[in-house]
Amino acid sequence: MRYSKIVGLGHHVPETVITNEYLSGIMDTNDEWITERTGIKERRYVDPVKDTVANMAAKATRMALERANLTEKDIDFIVFATITPDYFFPGSGVLLQRELGLESIGALDIRNACSGFIYALSVADQFIKSGMYKTILVVGAEIQSTAIDMTTRGRNTAVIFADGAGAVILQPTDQPGILSTHLHADGRYAEELYVRDPGSSRPREERQPEQILDTTTFKVVMNGSQVFKHAVVRFMEVINEALAANGMKKEDIDLLIPHQANLRISQFVQHKLELPDSKVYNNIMRYGNTTAASIPIALSEAWAEGKVKEDNLICLAAFGSGFTWASALIRW
Ligand code: UT7
């Protein structure tokens, strides 16, 4: 039986640290509210002159390649999860291919928001299992700071969302690696967390930018409490689905890496699964919610801290815009 295995992991976060105090100076919010409701203390924002989604992804990729003892030339396919591509089109996968100096390998973008990395991992896993590719780069990267409403009107999103990139390299193995992935969506809730423009579903005269007078439609809109309520239910469902599919129990999990949506969501899931602190990895306190980048950044940091060991059972789980939700169980 052919499985895929993560052979290298890397991440990159921008240098600029944005504290809760800084945000409190430009909108009506405060450290106490943000800490209590989200657990976030600081996050990173790009320097728009220097950083792009593709070049942050390239930095994360180089770290992953180095840790895997591989080079750019070994990569034969790219799967790139992002909802904040550098251009409206083409996607960021081709820009990453260019950044890495690779000439003609295929590159695919995945736009499934916070679940994007697990969707991307699942797609890559199928390509490896089928024998179509041998070394696949899977990336999650986002620049969200430039699409956020940085006024009091947008404070429920401004305090949460941030920038960063994470990457993993997948290769085939005949030992269990990625055991299973589980992907879900419910489009009835698409507008509960979305950015409307530049969307194509407008009459021609309205789609011209100079006609879009209400530019808030280019910013992130989120019904936070609705997202929260669905997230806690779907996280549990999709983790339990992964465990059941593999005949395992919650006690078998060595490390849970939840998408870093909100520390209170991660803590709810931890409590329901009765996992000790040592079995749940969170870094949202330092990076905020980096959407598709959050799981690969957390996985890369957890691995570097020695918390992801050989033979461990690692569970990844996510929920976000769409709504979409997903999980993966990995024998490391
Ligand atoms: O990545 C996956 C997708 N995203 C998520 O999973 C996020 C899920 N949702 C959340 O994390 C939470 O809903 C938030 C942290 C975004 C908001 O927390 P909440 O407890 O659900 O607050 P709320 O939106 O129900 O708002 C409660 C109050 C409101 O004031 P009033 O109307 O009660 O006077 C908000 O205006 O808190 C106010 N508020 C704030 N106050 C200070 C909202 N954001 C802020 C803020 N600072 N940043």
Side-chain angles (χ1 to χ4, degrees), residues 29 33 37 114 155 159-160 193 224-225 259 261-262 265 289 319:
T29 189
W33 192 96
R37 307 281 181 122
C114 302
R155 63 185 175 175
V159 301
I160 292 184
L193 172 50
S225 57
H259 158 56
N262 178 326
I265 295 177
N289 178 338
F319 178 89

Side-chain angles (χ1 to χ4, degrees), residues 83-85 88 111 146-147 191 194-204 206-221:
I83 50 163
T84 53
F88 187 59
R111 303 188 58 206
T146 49
E191 289 80 16
Y194 82 132
V195 176
R196 161 127 206 212
D197 282 309
S200 56
S201 61
R202 285 182 179 278
R204 181 180 298 114
E206 272 184 34
R207 201 180 164 201
Q208 307 306 314
E210 60 277 14
Q211 299 300 326
I212 301 176
L213 300 175
D214 176 10
T215 53
T216 56
T217 60
F218 285 86
K219 308 229 165 85
V220 181
V221 173

Side-chain angles (χ1 to χ4, degrees), residues 23 27-31 33-34 36-38 40 113-115 144 152-161 193 222-229 231-232 235 259-265 289-292 294 318-321 323-324:
L23 293 178
M27 63 187 76
D28 182 13
T29 189
N30 57 75
D31 177 51
W33 192 96
I34 302 170
E36 193 188 307
R37 307 281 181 122
T38 73
I40 300 167
C114 302
S115 310
Q144 305 187 102
T152 298
R153 188 181 47 199
R155 63 185 175 175
N156 72 325
T157 55
V159 301
I160 292 184
F161 294 114
L193 172 50
M222 176 170 78
N223 180 348
S225 57
Q226 182 80 339
V227 177
F228 197 107
K229 279 184 214 145
V232 289
F235 259 106
H259 158 56
Q260 303 290 290
N262 178 326
L263 189 61
R264 306 305 158 220
I265 295 177
N289 178 338
T290 57
T291 301
S294 97
F319 178 89
S321 168
F323 292 148
T324 58

Side-chain angles (χ1 to χ4, degrees), residues 1-3 129 173-176 178-179:
M1 171 95 184
R2 189 176 162 109
Y3 289 92
K129 280 191 198 145
T173 162
D174 51 11
Q175 300 296 317
I178 295 179
L179 301 177

Side-chain angles (χ1 to χ4, degrees), residues 159-173:
V159 301
I160 292 184
F161 294 114
D163 308 335
V168 303
I169 314 282
L170 282 194
Q171 284 192 326
T173 162

Side-chain angles (χ1 to χ4, degrees), residues 31-324:
D31 177 51
E32 197 189 343
W33 192 96
I34 302 170
T35 307
E36 193 188 307
R37 307 281 181 122
T38 73
I40 300 167
K41 286 306 223 180
E42 58 187 43
R43 73 284 290 141
R44 304 294 181 99
Y45 282 5
V46 293
D47 172 351
V49 178
K50 217 170 62 184
D51 304 310
T52 67
V53 163
N55 77 26
M56 290 200 303
K59 287 176 190 158
T61 299
R62 291 198 179 98
M63 184 189 281
L65 286 169
E66 199 182 316
R67 286 170 171 176
N69 220 0
L70 295 171
T71 71
E72 282 88 341
K73 301 281 172 237
D74 293 306
I75 300 169
D76 39 37
F77 194 70
I78 296 172
V79 189
F80 198 127
T82 184
I83 50 163
T84 53
D86 292 300
Y87 302 134
F88 187 59
F89 75 85
S92 286
V94 297
L95 302 179
L96 175 59
Q97 184 225 46
R98 182 171 73 187
E99 290 270 348
L100 296 173
L102 297 170
E103 266 159 35
S104 62
I105 62 160
L108 168 72
D109 274 44
I110 302 257
R111 303 188 58 206
N112 285 55
C114 302
S115 310
F117 180 76
I118 299 180
Y119 267 76
L121 194 70
S122 178
V123 168
D125 182 38
Q126 313 314 315
F127 277 136
I128 298 260
K129 280 191 198 145
S130 73
M132 184 154 170
Y133 296 117
K134 219 179 97 221
T135 304
I136 303 185
L137 168 61
V138 182
V139 169
E142 307 282 5
I143 294 182
Q144 305 187 102
S145 56
T146 49
I148 287 169
D149 181 349
M150 295 293 277
T151 67
T152 298
R153 188 181 47 199
R155 63 185 175 175
N156 72 325
T157 55
V159 301
I160 292 184
F161 294 114
D163 308 335
V168 303
I169 314 282
L170 282 194
Q171 284 192 326
T173 162
D174 51 11
Q175 300 296 317
I178 295 179
L179 301 177
S180 64
T181 52
H182 305 269
L183 313 177
H184 295 280
D186 188 343
R188 286 177 300 170
Y189 299 99
E191 289 80 16
E192 299 293 350
L193 172 50
Y194 82 132
V195 176
R196 161 127 206 212
D197 282 309
S200 56
S201 61
R202 285 182 179 278
R204 181 180 298 114
E205 55 286 1
E206 272 184 34
R207 201 180 164 201
Q208 307 306 314
E210 60 277 14
Q211 299 300 326
I212 301 176
L213 300 175
D214 176 10
T215 53
T216 56
T217 60
F218 285 86
K219 308 229 165 85
V220 181
V221 173
M222 176 170 78
N223 180 348
S225 57
Q226 182 80 339
V227 177
F228 197 107
K229 279 184 214 145
H230 284 259
V232 289
V233 173
R234 298 305 196 183
F235 259 106
M236 287 310 300
E237 271 179 23
V238 80
I239 293 169
N240 284 328
E241 180 185 347
L243 290 170
N246 292 282
M248 290 174 180
K249 303 182 296 301
K250 55 189 197 236
E251 300 77 45
D252 297 322
I253 296 175
D254 291 302
L255 191 66
L256 170 69
I257 303 191
H259 158 56
Q260 303 290 290
N262 178 326
L263 189 61
R264 306 305 158 220
I265 295 177
S266 298
Q267 286 169 336
F268 177 91
V269 173
Q270 173 179 352
H271 177 74
K272 282 273 173 191
L273 292 170
E274 299 174 311
L275 295 175
D277 288 352
S278 60
K279 289 191 171 190
V280 183
Y281 191 83
N282 288 303
N283 59 8
I284 191 169
M285 305 72 91
R286 289 178 283 124
Y287 299 140
N289 178 338
T290 57
T291 301
S294 97
I295 290 179
I297 294 173
L299 191 56
S300 172
E301 285 203 339
W303 179 86
E305 289 168 25
K307 292 180 175 152
V308 178
K309 299 188 206 73
E310 196 156 343
D311 208 39
N312 274 181
L313 186 70
I314 309 297
C315 180
L316 311 179
F319 178 89
S321 168
F323 292 148
T324 58

